Structure formats: C-alpha cells, structure tokens
Amino acid sequence: MGLKNILKYIVVSCVATCFSQEKGSTYISAFQSKISTRLFYTNSFNTFNFKTNDQRVFIEPDTKSFIGASVLFRSIDLSFGFSPKFLSENETSKLLSLNFKMYFGQWIQTIDLYQQQGLETSVNDITLYSKNIKTLKIGGSSLYVLNKNFSYRALSYQNEMQLKSTGSFIPGITYYYTYYNFNSTVEDAKSYNFNVVLSPAYHYNFVIRKNFLLALGATLGLGLNHAENFDSRNSKSLSYLAKANMSLGYNLSLIHISEPTRLLSI
C-alpha cells in the first residue's frame, strides 16, 4: 500500500469516526424529562493587566469565591452565583455571576455575565484597595459537537449518560466585552475591551465501567483584542485561550439499560 493510499485511509477513518451514523441511543441515555439541580462553591474570578505610562497595573478582585445554584431542564441550563459577606475580606466587595446555556441539537450556546466591585490595584509592588473600582464582563461562546454520539451533557451537566467511550472535535468561537469603571465620578477613568477568539476543543468520555466516567478535554484558541484605554486611545493585540479539564464521575441510576442486539454480517 503506497503512502498516498495510507494517508487517504487515515483521513477517511477520521471522518467516519467524527460522523458515525450509529444510533445515538447506543451511545447516550438521556434523562431530559427530569429537572437537574446543583449547589456549588467555586473560586472563579477575573484578573486584569494594564500597561500605562510604561508601568504595569495588576488588578485583582478582593472577593475570589462565591456560592451558587443551577437548574437544568431539557435544553436550558440557568445558574446564578454571588459572594455573601462572610466570603469577602471587605464588606464592600461584591461578585455576581449569571450563566445561561442552551442546546440546539449539536449546537451549544452560552451567555455569561460577571459583575465585580471592590478590587485591589498593584503598581510597583504597592497594593491598594478601592471599593469604587467596578468591572462588568458579558459574552459567551458558540460551539458545535461534530460527533453526535458524544455527550457534552454527560461531561458537564449530568442529564445524559455516556454508554460507550467516544470523543469529539468541538470547534467554537468565544467572545467577551469587559467594561471597567475606576472612579464613578471621573469620566476619563473608564475603559473597555472586546475579545473574539476562535477556540477549537477536543473532548473524550471514557466509560470505564457501566457507571464510571472519566472525561478529558483541552481547548486552545487564538483571536484579537480591541481596547479603548483611559486616554481614549485605541489599541489592538492578540488574544489567546488555553484550557484543560479532567473529571471523574459515577452515575447512580435505577434505570436498566439493555445492550443493543449485535448482528454479524459477512
């Protein structure tokens, strides 16, 4: 077999894997008639770096942890999080998050909103806290799961169960607008930036045993950032995204799932 034929065989095999025509029921068991709820505690926040007058300004929120809850029914997931006073080092610090996710077949659309108030500013190793600094970040992502037999919901939202090991390439685009207000009484102390990043990902669900799932994935992205600084000058730069995830789960289900009948063709 020549090199050309070997390469052709590899390409055809990869395409066949991504667009497998086996019925989804042999790979995925859905519980979409059920309402799924979650309570969570997380340490997720946004930090910012600026360069002004040949100085680097590092901004970090005083509040870094928050609690929240989410509700998932059929194709819609809504989650809300906030930071209560007992999680804040300073009572004037606030952190609010609102996340909305929708499933349209193999399309996944997310909308996120993060609002922070009360941040620490570091310049030349000097750190100051200001309760007047505010940031608002809004955006989301649009994803498409190429392999219809791969369950993204089993990975993240647990209203589906992956029955057989499989993976999928997931192309996507991520976009966020962030607004900064450093002093509510001074108009010039405001700024914003807008990021657009092409963010392809690959995820794989390993079904170790009947109810054990090991999920691995990675996302790498590159795009553009447009910013308007405090002095009203515009700037453009490259923007990048890098994420990796690993999770291990056990599904306790009282539903019996029978193996499909296998036919031998000659």
Side-chain angles (χ1 to χ4, degrees), residues 159-260:
N159 73 336
E160 287 185 352
M161 181 178 175
Q162 187 80 58
L163 304 181
K164 295 182 180 181
S165 299
T166 189
S168 180
F169 179 68
I170 306 177
I173 182 171
T174 303
Y175 32 84
Y176 280 100
Y177 168 85
T178 307
Y179 173 78
Y180 314 89
N181 186 346
F182 289 85
N183 188 331
S184 59
T185 62
V186 180
E187 184 67 26
D188 292 338
K190 299 177 181 180
S191 179
Y192 76 88
N193 74 310
F194 182 71
N195 285 278
V196 179
V197 178
L198 295 176
S199 50
Y202 186 83
H203 292 273
Y204 198 95
N205 287 341
F206 292 93
V207 180
I208 303 174
R209 292 285 184 89
K210 181 178 178 180
N211 291 336
F212 279 98
L213 178 71
L214 173 63
L216 300 174
T219 304
L220 293 175
L222 185 66
L224 294 175
N225 171 68
H226 174 82
E228 180 178 301
N229 300 319
F230 316 111
D231 52 8
S232 298
R233 291 186 302 174
N234 294 328
S235 64
K236 293 180 174 62
S237 61
L238 288 176
S239 183
Y240 63 91
L241 172 68
K243 294 192 300 183
N245 71 278
M246 180 181 71
S247 59
L248 180 65
Y250 177 78
N251 182 54
L252 179 61
S253 176
L254 300 179
I255 301 175
H256 175 69
I257 302 171
S258 60
E259 286 292 326

Side-chain angles (χ1 to χ4, degrees), residues 41-111:
Y41 167 83
T42 185
N43 191 274
S44 178
F45 56 94
N46 294 286
T47 60
F48 310 97
N49 284 282
F50 295 91
K51 185 177 181 181
T52 175
N53 298 326
D54 297 325
Q55 290 182 327
R56 285 286 182 181
V57 180
F58 181 73
I59 300 173
E60 182 177 355
D62 187 60
T63 298
K64 302 179 179 64
S65 303
F66 64 95
I67 58 176
S70 69
V71 178
L72 172 65
F73 180 68
R74 293 187 182 274
S75 298
I76 297 177
D77 176 77
L78 179 65
S79 65
F80 172 80
F82 73 101
S83 181
K85 290 184 178 180
F86 66 83
L87 291 179
S88 303
E89 296 179 9
N90 192 301
E91 291 187 357
T92 59
S93 300
K94 297 178 181 179
L95 176 60
L96 176 70
S97 72
L98 183 64
N99 309 100
F100 188 59
K101 186 183 292 286
M102 296 165 285
Y103 296 89
F104 305 98
Q106 290 165 250
W107 285 97
I108 304 171
Q109 177 63 49
T110 65
I111 300 175

